[in-house]
Amino acid sequence: MSASGDDRSVEASIVARLRAAGCVDPEAEAAFVRRHLHTAHDVEHAVAARVRGMPLEQAVGAAEFAGVTVAVADGVFVPRARAAAVVEVAAREHPGARVVVDLGCGAGALAAAMAARLPGAEIHAVDIDPAAVVVARCNAWRHGFTPHHGSWWDGLPTNLRGRIDLAVAYLPHVPSGQVRLLPPDHRAHEPRRTVDGGPDGLAPLRTVLGEADAWLAPEGRLVTLLTREQARTAGGRIAGGDDEDAVVVFDRAAVRR
Ligand SMILES: C[S@@+](CC[C@H](N)C(=O)[O-])C[C@H]1O[C@@H](n2cnc3c(N)ncnc32)[C@H](O)[C@@H]1O
């Protein structure tokens, strides 16, 4: 069905407002708004929030990630397309995984995408930020995973100890000194804790690896995304990525203390 004249003029007006606000790809953003919002009121609310500087996904309340759509909200980390590589590598590494966890889940995008790829698996997600857990709860109901509130492994039910086949984690890994270089809209609408990984960006990973031995199953593994440079320092096995990012796999055998 072709778009009506009214549709085209609504679209053109959204594009013009987004362009005037400095959005880099206003056509793609307008199409995203129209894909997810279907009343004039919702569209207006989202475009106004975007024009004021809110990240697009938070303004719309939805993010597209690795083939699934998840709810997002102001103050909760927006899933990044680059982290989809973690999901692809994890599902390829262990297609028979029975127990999967998403550490630092934010809205739960990785958990939702893993649920779509491993429909028989028991999937848990954990975050320290209560606001993230509230959003993850909405996504959990729709996508089929169980959210928890707490710090890394400690937030998970103790009956998962030694049983986790796959831990996927898009951890905070921006070196503290580089956080100020992130796009201003994200800095204003995502808590610093979602991105700041300490002096070299690897502090959360070190904490998580320190306890991984107790939680992963004998053949279990942790899959994460780092910069290429960080991956050289962190060790682990590089199993995917691109020129900038590396998907790094830590086998339980390699993290045993
Ligand atoms: C880079 S964001 C990734 C969020 C989500 N995995 C995604 O890709 O959309 C990192 C997440 O780790 C969470 N986080 C930070 N410290 C944590 C901790 N000690 N325990 C659990 N989660 C934590 C933050 O609240 C944030 O949601």
Side-chain angles (χ1 to χ4, degrees), residues 116-168:
R117 281 158 184 77
L118 304 177
E122 173 185 347
I123 300 185
H124 297 262
V126 63
D127 204 284
I128 199 163
D129 180 356
V133 179
V134 167
V135 178
R137 227 171 254 142
C138 301
N139 290 316
W141 177 80
R142 178 165 170 200
H143 293 281
F145 62 90
T146 308
H148 307 275
H149 177 229
S151 185
W152 308 134
W153 311 102
D154 288 345
L156 295 169
T158 53
N159 68 359
L160 295 183
R161 283 176 84 89
R163 291 181 49 223
I164 296 168
D165 298 310
L166 273 176
V168 291

Side-chain angles (χ1 to χ4, degrees), residues 58-148:
Q58 291 178 344
V60 169
E64 296 168 0
F65 177 80
V68 296
T69 296
V70 291
V72 295
D74 189 8
V76 175
F77 187 84
V78 176
R80 306 294 204 267
R82 67 205 314 155
V86 170
V87 170
E88 303 311 340
V89 168
R92 191 176 73 218
E93 280 268 327
H94 204 331
R98 308 285 315 153
V99 180
V100 179
V101 302
D102 176 0
L103 295 173
C105 64
L110 274 68
M114 290 305 297
R117 281 158 184 77
L118 304 177
E122 173 185 347
I123 300 185
H124 297 262
V126 63
D127 204 284
I128 199 163
D129 180 356
V133 179
V134 167
V135 178
R137 227 171 254 142
C138 301
N139 290 316
W141 177 80
R142 178 165 170 200
H143 293 281
F145 62 90
T146 308
H148 307 275

Side-chain angles (χ1 to χ4, degrees), residues 174-185 187 192 195-196:
V174 178
S176 303
Q178 293 178 22
V179 171
R180 65 188 165 78
L181 305 176
L182 295 174
D185 52 349
R187 266 189 291 131
R192 187 177 176 109
V195 291
D196 190 341

Side-chain angles (χ1 to χ4, degrees), residues 25-40:
D25 191 346
E27 285 83 6
E29 293 205 6
F32 182 87
V33 171
R34 303 267 284 156
R35 220 164 30 249
H36 291 283
L37 300 175
H38 307 292
T39 68

